[in-house]
Amino acid sequence: MNIDRLIGAGSIVLGIGISTAAVLGPLGLKIVRFRLSESLNTQFAGGEMASIALVAPVAIAAGVLWIRGHRLAAPLTMGPALYAIYTYTTVIFGQEYRRYDGNVEQYLPLYAG
């Protein structure tokens, strides 16, 4: 597998992971419960709207472009990648683990991936 296909597959997996996290979180099925106040949970739900509507589709589209060898693939991939780094770092390190009930730590592989 050449490097473009590998990066393309990674971008597609990123898009699927972002979608999965959004569906499992406070916006969707509420399986993942963040250890945050209600107002912060509402903010994360808003972020998940952006994840589903914009970030995940762009990551998947960028992955397809990588596989096809399109020149716009690299710059298009940067947005979802940076979004994922910022967002999921805050999900992992921004929780108030001792103060609020939740189970987000059980889903660490999803958010760290």
Side-chain angles (χ1 to χ4, degrees):
M1 178 179 270
N2 71 23
I3 191 71
D4 287 352
R5 288 186 176 275
L6 186 62
I7 295 169
S11 186
I12 291 168
V13 168
L14 176 64
I16 292 168
I18 289 170
S19 297
T20 302
V23 168
L24 294 176
L27 178 66
L29 299 173
K30 296 179 177 58
I31 293 171
V32 177
R33 292 181 319 277
F34 294 151
R35 293 176 177 269
L36 299 169
S37 68
E38 281 303 311
S39 64
L40 285 175
N41 268 312
T42 302
Q43 285 183 348
F44 269 100
E48 289 178 347
M49 289 172 136
S51 295
I52 288 285
L54 181 65
V55 181
V58 169
I60 292 169
V64 170
L65 291 176
W66 272 108
I67 292 168
R68 293 182 178 173
H70 198 282
R71 64 185 179 90
L72 289 178
L76 195 58
T77 304
M78 290 301 294
L82 293 172
Y83 174 88
I85 291 168
Y86 172 77
T87 300
Y88 300 123
T89 299
T90 34
V91 167
I92 293 167
F93 295 110
Q95 302 292 316
E96 296 185 52
Y97 291 100
R98 293 183 183 213
R99 186 169 181 191
Y100 296 103
D101 290 331
N103 67 352
V104 69
E105 63 276 1
Q106 295 173 0
Y107 297 90
L108 179 65
L110 174 64
Y111 292 107

